[in-house]
Structure formats: structure tokens, C-alpha cells
Amino acid sequence: MTDIAPGPRGSVTLLRSPTTFLMALAFINWLGYASWSALLNNFAKEAAGFTGADIGLLQSVREIPGFLAFTAIVLFWFMREQVLAYVSLVTLGIGVAITGFYPTLGGLLLTTTIMSLGFHYYETAQQSLQLQLLPKAEAPRLLGRIAGASATAQLLAFGAIAVIWRVFEPGYVLVFLASGGLVVALSLLAWIAFPRFQGAVPQNKGFVLRKRYWLYYALTFMSGARRQIFMAFGGFLLVERFGYDVSTTAMLLLATYGINTFMGPMLGHLVGRIGERATIQIENVSLILVFVGYALASHGHFAGWGAYIAGALFVIDGVFFTLVLAQRTYFQKIADPADIAPTSAVAFTISHIAAVVLPVTFGLIWLKDPAIVFYIGAAVATASLVLAFLVPRHPSPGQETVMASRVAAAAE
């Protein structure tokens, strides 16, 4: 399904565009999650007295709903992906809104679970919708535009928090409440405003695990593992080791998503130009360098520049994360169209297998030496780089890997 061309009723036509719909929901989702993540590390440290082990436990609990994302397949029996997306966004907003009222380990575990349920079920639904509604030829470019909308939401969230916190010092309760309330309001507005969107091919209703998708599953698992290490401990390193406060952390995130607002569409265009194979390779090389840099910074190898270098690495990782869209377009090219919804749910669970275990385990390693955590992250990215060489230059059904492509070529 492609975008509907502009007509005399421009505003109505715009609302009927699948790309506009996907961009709007991505904006709302990341507005809420960015507001939560911008405050979390400082709130956990200052209000709840968290240690590295506590933050690791919290991040592991946060990922449990992601691990259970395969259960979205059951929800798809009762509701369309679009309805699940709306319900999930409202849940996300509620979780964010009540976070500030519970500055304890137990309280944060509860509110984080609510927030995470909304976030992860939304991500499952939106990934399915993206691959069903966007045409293959245009998917990298349009996914880049959606990534740009996500970055814009995060830019606004981090910018507003940085300015409001520095000027008014409102406190955690008010900022969490206002951010979550805005997400709920925008979600309900989108539910009312947008029409129903449906993919061209009816989706399989059962659980789907196919042998020929094995490389996609493996890349997804590795991506989830290395991303979780960064999300759980990258920002915490800045706070614990280098003393970043709320406004400084927000400004750093502001820079990241300010760049992504413009780079998202450009990186999407790059994927379409150089292909998924080269893109996944570039992403993993950048991550290896980032993780090694973090490890060195945590040991003080950059003398007085450690705080600045760690901050720069944080921004670099945030920008290059957009390239993960290449894994989605790779799957779109090799998949049976009817498998997209159930496989999106299963893949989301696969990406969170490591995410449930790693943070709490690595939180204990962190107490011994934070650098070890980041060296392991570099090793995971190296393994993912090796897998990237198995992605064919022109993936398609029957040519899911380099080996499959060679077999197909020999048969011809």
C-alpha cells in the first residue's frame, strides 16, 4: 500500500496516508519513552538511591514485556494491530505519568512494568504495520522518515525537559505526570483522527517459526543483546562515572536526536542505496568502536577528556542505531507476506531473550569493573558483524542467505 496522492482535501488526504499514520504513532511513542528515559537514571540515583545492581535489575524487569511480545499473536485474534497500537500507547502514557510518585525499588519496578507493557506491545504492532503497509521498493526511505519523526519526538522531549528543569526546577513528580498525560491525550486523538489501515495480505494467526528465517532471528537476537547493554549501562556510566546531571543528560540526548531528525531520512535513503548487507556491517563496526571506547573511558584512559569522549560515543551510538531498520527491510524482502505479523511478534521476543538476563547479570559485573560490560558488548557486536557477511546482496524468498543464493545460482 502506498501513500495516497495529495488532493483537493489536503488535510483529510494526509490523514489517510499510511506513512503519516505511522509517523504520528512513532512520534507519540517516543515522546513518552524519551521523557521517561531522560529522567530515569537521575531519578533512580537521586530519589531512589540506586546502585549499578539496582539499575540492572530494573532494566531486566523492563524487558520482560518485550520477552513476552510473542503473546501479541493471541491479542491479534481479538483486535487489529492498529487497535493494539492505540491501547499500548495509552498504557505507556499511564506508566510514565505515575512514575514520579514511587521513588523506591518496588515502586519503580511496578511503574516500569506498566510503561514497558505499553512500549513493547506498541513496538510489536507498529513493526508489523510498517512491513505490511509500506511497499518494498520504498520501505528503507519511508522507514527513515518514520525514524526522523521518532527523533523529532525525542528532540522535543529532551529539549523541553532540559529547559524546564534548568529554569523552573519543577521536580520529578510533575514532569513525569505532564509527560505521561500528554502521551495519553495524543494517543486518544490519533485513535479518533486516523481511519482504519489494513495490509493487502491477510496475516497468519498462529505462531510462526520458519527455518529459512534463521539468519533474521540470529541478527535480531544479537541486536537485542548489544542494544540492551548500551541502554542499560551507557547512560548510567555518564551519571555514575562522570557525574552528568538531569539537564546535562537531557542536552546530550537533545543533540543525539537533533542530529537524527535530519539523519534518519538520510540513513533510510542510504540503506536503499547500498543494501542491507553493507548497512548491517557498518552498524556493527560502529558499535564495536563505541563499546571499546566506553570501556577505555571507564578506566580513565582519556585523562581529563573521558567525560567528553564518553558523551560523544553516546551520541554516535544513538545516531547509528537508526541503521537497525536494515534488518527489518531484509526480513520484508525474504518473508512470505502472510508471515509478517506473527514473525514480528516472535522476533521481538527473540530480541529480548538476552535483554531479560543481561542487565541483572551485568549489573553484578558492573560492581566489579564496568569496562568488562562494554568489552562483552564489543564481542557481541563482533559476532553480529560475522553474521552480517551471510546476508546476500539481493535478498529475496529462496535467497535468504549467501549460501542459499549460491545454491539458487547453481541450480540455474
Side-chain angles (χ1 to χ4, degrees):
M1 182 181 296
T2 57
D3 291 349
I4 298 174
R9 299 178 64 186
S11 60
V12 174
T13 302
L14 187 63
L15 289 176
R16 294 186 177 278
S17 161
T19 302
T20 302
F21 161 71
L22 292 168
M23 289 175 67
L25 265 60
F27 178 92
I28 297 168
N29 177 59
W30 284 102
L31 183 69
Y33 186 78
S35 301
W36 179 85
S37 61
L39 294 168
L40 175 67
N41 284 320
N42 291 92
F43 180 65
K45 182 75 174 178
E46 297 170 13
F50 271 33
T51 64
D54 293 328
I55 201 72
L57 174 62
L58 181 68
Q59 294 292 354
S60 286
V61 169
R62 182 180 66 83
E63 295 298 349
I64 291 175
F67 176 72
L68 297 175
F70 70 91
T71 59
I73 297 171
V74 177
L75 296 178
F76 291 155
W77 298 346
F78 306 101
M79 64 179 74
R80 295 179 293 107
E81 292 99 318
Q82 188 171 349
V83 174
L84 178 59
Y86 293 138
V87 172
S88 299
L89 288 175
V90 171
T91 304
L92 165 65
I94 292 171
V96 173
I98 65 176
T99 297
F101 294 104
Y102 301 96
T104 63
L105 176 59
L108 273 172
L109 292 176
L110 173 63
T111 58
T112 296
T113 298
I114 296 171
M115 180 282 301
S116 185
L117 280 169
F119 177 79
H120 285 102
Y121 276 101
Y122 165 77
E123 285 289 315
T124 302
Q126 67 87 26
Q127 183 169 317
S128 173
L129 287 167
Q130 287 175 0
L131 298 184
Q132 289 183 68
L133 299 179
L134 302 179
K136 291 182 182 181
E138 295 294 314
R141 181 180 65 84
L142 296 177
L143 285 174
R145 288 178 59 188
I146 294 168
S150 301
T152 300
Q154 294 170 87
L155 176 66
L156 291 175
F158 295 133
I161 288 173
V163 172
I164 291 172
W165 198 272
R166 188 176 291 273
V167 175
F168 300 105
E169 299 182 0
Y172 291 108
V173 172
L174 182 59
V175 177
F176 276 122
L177 185 61
S179 301
L182 181 60
V183 169
V184 171
L186 290 176
S187 302
L188 296 176
L189 179 61
W191 201 332
I192 295 170
F194 285 105
R196 172 178 176 175
F197 293 97
Q198 190 73 35
V201 178
Q203 297 297 290
N204 291 323
K205 297 299 183 181
F207 294 88
V208 172
L209 274 174
R210 302 200 190 281
K211 184 178 179 180
R212 68 186 186 90
Y213 298 157
W214 75 266
L215 181 55
Y216 172 65
Y217 298 146
L219 288 169
T220 299
F221 175 81
M222 291 297 181
S223 177
R226 67 179 189 264
R227 187 62 188 168
Q228 186 56 40
I229 294 172
F230 168 76
M231 291 183 66
F233 298 104
F236 198 69
L237 175 72
L238 301 180
V239 174
E240 184 178 77
R241 175 68 175 82
F242 298 109
Y244 279 50
D245 60 15
V246 169
S247 61
T248 306
T249 301
M251 289 300 292
L252 194 63
L253 292 166
L254 182 66
T256 301
Y257 297 109
I259 295 171
N260 275 347
T261 297
F262 301 99
M263 287 294 293
M266 294 173 62
L267 291 175
H269 179 75
L270 177 68
V271 175
R273 182 176 179 181
I274 69 175
E276 287 78 12
R277 174 188 171 97
T279 303
I280 298 171
Q281 291 169 347
I282 290 171
E283 180 198 6
N284 282 286
V285 169
S286 72
L287 284 169
I288 293 169
L289 297 176
V290 166
F291 280 129
V292 171
Y294 269 141
L296 295 174
S298 71
H299 275 176
H301 287 293
F302 300 117
W305 292 91
Y308 301 103
I309 291 176
L313 292 171
F314 186 90
V315 173
I316 291 169
D317 182 86
V319 172
F320 277 87
F321 177 66
T322 302
L323 295 178
V324 77
L325 67 88
Q327 291 185 26
R328 297 184 186 181
T329 58
Y330 162 66
F331 173 66
Q332 186 186 38
K333 289 180 178 179
I334 67 172
D336 180 335
D339 288 346
I340 287 177
T343 304
S344 295
V346 170
F348 216 72
T349 289
I350 290 173
S351 74
H352 287 77
I353 293 174
V356 172
V357 178
L358 285 182
V360 66
T361 304
F362 282 23
L364 299 176
I365 296 174
W366 181 276
L367 298 178
K368 179 177 177 61
D369 185 354
I372 298 175
V373 171
F374 297 119
Y375 282 130
I376 295 175
V380 172
T382 301
S384 187
L385 176 61
V386 173
L387 289 173
F389 282 94
L390 300 179
V391 176
R393 297 187 186 279
H394 303 289
S396 63
Q399 299 187 43
E400 296 86 3
T401 66
V402 169
M403 295 84 76
S405 295
R406 289 173 180 170
V407 170
E412 293 177 358

